[in-house]
Amino acid sequence: MRNIPTEDRILWILKEKDDFISGEELSHRLGLSRMGIWKAIQRIKLLGYSVVAQPHLGYRLIEVPDRLIPFELTWNLKTKSIGKSVLSFKKIESTNNTAYELATNGAREGTVVFAEEQTKGKGRLGRSWLSPAYKGIYMSVILRPNIAPSSAPELTLIATLAVTKAIRELTGLLSFIKWPNDVVINSKKVCGILTEMNAEIDKVNFLIVGIGINVNSEKKDLPKEASSIKEELKQRISRIELARLILLRLDEYYEIFKEFGFNPPLAEIKRYSSTLNRRVKVHYLNRFIEGHAQDIDKDGALLVRLDNGFAEKVFAGDLVNIR
Ligand code: BT5
């Protein structure tokens, strides 16, 4: 356990024990003095953990704070690549920008950057993403898939699938994928994905998949037409649990994507789509296209059947479900 901070090592032992453990045993197992243990416990408490100390019994972990602490995000996380390295910031401009910088400097695939608050959270096309402190999950994942730049939108859809599944599993809420980059509950946006890329003409160097989720945000924190999990569920949930589940699901679908391509995740994306088989209006490259959302193509594009009978393939855009 060399190089692992003392706090994390103590937390690890306290979690596994799930009962009182004597200061003596802790100091023996960590090779630290009793005073050293006591000081580390004080630092753990400053992070927001509740640890009780009882004479003769020792220390016991009572409560974990709902903070995006790397140790909590990764403890016993069974993923292959996503979340093997996690960084968490209290306040930064944009997790996508920080992840992009890290990736430029060689950060490995699966590195994830979290923030409790973003001061310049980004949406697509220069739009902004409201990121109130401690209420949402703002995270960016570095991926280095061996794909052409034209396949990047597939990873955006895979991320919407991971989030949709995780929300359903944890809360029972019926979340849906709104093409091309949203997750909605009761037709209201609770999550948006922004994928950015560093690529050459025919090869992606890396992708940054940025995920913003309104978890415990209140109506007043959000744009009028948006919502949060808390607003829809009428109850707060653990951001840590949701973030861990998203890392797991993303890892699972990313592995499938790397091995079998986009088709298997696409079948599920269609199943959870709130867009297909509806009349839609898409704002795309300064044009409005209206018609029937017929299918999501094997590259993630939306096929819209126009009223004149022709089908048009739309690669990106802003979409309104009309009915
Ligand atoms: C998106 O763009 O939906 C992508 C949002 C990605 C945010 C994440 S957070 C972590 C990572 N780091 C970043 O800097 N970004 C990513 P788009 O489809 O263009 O939608 C943007 C529009 O959604 C805005 O113009 C607002 O109308 C609306 N919006 C802004 N904040 C919102 C929020 N918190 N919840 C719902 N809608 C919001």
Side-chain angles (χ1 to χ4, degrees):
M1 290 223 269
R2 241 178 288 147
N3 297 329
I4 301 177
T6 307
E7 291 88 329
D8 288 5
R9 291 158 73 194
I10 293 180
L11 280 169
W12 191 286
I13 294 171
L14 289 176
K15 277 193 172 226
E16 286 204 322
K17 182 89 179 179
D18 197 22
D19 196 353
F20 280 99
I21 181 164
S22 69
E24 193 182 337
E25 190 179 337
L26 275 174
S27 75
H28 176 71
R29 284 177 64 175
L30 297 178
L32 281 171
S33 68
R34 301 276 294 267
M35 181 51 92
I37 297 288
W38 184 84
K39 281 187 179 158
I41 296 274
Q42 303 316 305
R43 291 197 297 275
I44 287 171
K45 285 183 173 173
L46 282 178
L47 292 172
Y49 287 86
S50 163
V51 180
V52 288
Q54 291 245 328
H56 310 301
L57 289 172
Y59 300 102
R60 181 177 187 166
L61 179 62
I62 300 292
E63 208 183 315
V64 171
D66 193 27
R67 293 283 182 266
L68 303 172
I69 300 167
F71 175 78
E72 293 300 331
L73 291 161
T74 56
W75 187 74
N76 264 346
L77 186 74
K78 304 272 188 296
T79 57
K80 206 152 177 203
S81 66
I82 312 289
K84 283 290 169 204
S85 168
V86 161
L87 289 94
S88 186
F89 297 85
K90 212 164 156 192
K91 189 171 175 173
I92 50 177
E93 287 195 350
S94 152
T95 54
N96 264 35
N97 292 353
T98 302
Y100 197 99
E101 243 178 77
L102 289 166
T104 308
N105 291 317
R108 68 169 154 155
E109 167 156 282
T111 301
V112 189
V113 176
F114 284 88
E116 296 284 13
E117 181 179 3
Q118 295 184 119
T119 53
K120 283 192 189 150
K122 302 192 291 185
R124 292 175 303 156
L125 306 170
R127 294 186 283 229
S128 58
W129 184 257
L130 296 178
S131 316
Y134 300 109
K135 294 185 175 172
I137 295 173
Y138 318 113
M139 59 187 272
S140 299
V141 185
I142 297 174
L143 298 178
R144 298 182 180 278
N146 195 3
I147 57 170
S150 57
S151 292
E154 297 168 18
L155 273 311
T156 302
L157 284 167
I158 285 176
T160 62
L161 175 62
V163 172
T164 299
K165 294 275 280 199
I167 292 176
R168 283 179 176 236
E169 276 173 57
L170 195 68
T171 68
L173 286 169
L174 296 180
S175 46
F176 289 95
I177 297 167
K178 183 174 171 200
W179 185 92
N181 68 317
D182 293 349
V183 176
V184 296
I185 301 173
N186 296 324
S187 306
K188 286 167 272 181
K189 179 162 174 171
V190 297
C191 164
I193 316 267
L194 170 68
T195 300
E196 294 182 287
M197 141 168 98
N198 180 302
E200 285 149 45
I201 295 274
D202 51 6
K203 181 182 164 291
V204 164
N205 296 323
F206 62 79
L207 293 176
I208 306 297
V209 179
I211 304 175
I213 309 168
N214 305 324
V215 184
N216 293 323
S217 339
E218 334 245 324
K219 274 250 161 344
K220 65 173 173 43
D221 301 321
L222 302 170
K224 209 167 62 268
E225 50 311 335
S227 191
S228 69
I229 293 174
K230 178 185 167 241
E231 291 290 340
E232 299 307 310
L233 192 65
K234 308 287 175 229
Q235 150 182 350
R236 295 171 67 86
I237 64 160
S238 156
R239 290 179 309 146
I240 285 278
E241 271 185 62
L242 181 60
R244 286 174 59 97
L245 204 46
I246 289 169
L247 295 176
L248 266 179
R249 294 293 160 258
L250 192 57
D251 188 74
E252 184 183 318
Y253 288 115
Y254 186 53
E255 288 302 316
I256 292 174
F257 171 79
K258 280 195 294 187
E259 191 160 349
F260 304 105
F262 186 51
N263 262 343
L266 177 60
E268 288 213 50
I269 289 161
K270 289 184 189 177
R271 180 133 57 91
Y272 295 111
S273 166
S274 72
T275 306
L276 289 181
N277 300 318
R278 299 181 68 162
R279 195 164 173 84
V280 294
K281 194 169 174 179
V282 195
H283 185 204
Y284 174 54
L285 297 177
N286 294 327
R287 280 202 313 140
F288 280 99
I289 296 163
E290 198 174 322
H292 180 78
Q294 186 171 282
D295 201 4
I296 299 174
D297 213 0
K298 55 185 185 313
D299 55 4
L302 188 68
L303 293 176
V304 180
R305 180 160 296 279
L306 309 178
D307 293 337
N308 63 13
F310 284 106
E312 180 147 353
K313 194 164 164 171
V314 192
F315 290 94
D318 288 304
L319 178 138
V320 190
N321 293 336
I322 302 178
R323 49 175 194 269

